Amino acid sequence: MENKVLVMTFKNQQGKKINIRLGNIKPNLTDAQVMEAMNAVVAGNILLTNGGDVVSKEEAEMITTNTSPFTIQ
């Protein structure tokens, strides 16, 4: 089974990286949609971190994993 996860990385006021992982994302997600979502997170100031407010976008990536279960019984 294939699984896709969007990982969005931000920096807070102390310069520490903060990751948000979202599963069950659409396979045809665009750069523009991801940028819009990340801009909303920064502008909305919706995250609470130990290092202060989220102040900038760092990077985003889609991670795809494949799982192949074994029959063990």
Side-chain angles (χ1 to χ4, degrees):
M1 172 185 3
E2 185 175 273
N3 185 35
K4 294 183 182 292
V5 176
L6 173 63
V7 180
M8 297 181 289
T9 304
F10 301 88
K11 280 197 176 176
N12 64 20
Q13 288 174 317
Q14 290 184 352
K16 295 180 182 176
K17 290 183 179 182
I18 307 299
N19 291 320
I20 298 176
R21 297 178 187 277
L22 300 173
N24 300 320
I25 60 171
K26 295 180 179 181
N28 58 345
L29 199 60
T30 66
D31 290 350
Q33 289 171 314
V34 173
M35 186 179 298
E36 183 178 345
M38 293 181 79
N39 286 339
V41 169
V42 174
N45 196 24
I46 61 173
L47 298 178
L48 179 62
T49 75
N50 291 335
D53 294 339
V54 172
V55 295
S56 65
K57 303 180 304 258
E58 182 71 15
E59 64 184 0
E61 58 190 0
M62 184 183 310
I63 299 174
T64 304
T65 58
N66 287 307
T67 304
S68 301
F70 290 99
T71 303
I72 57 171
Q73 294 181 356

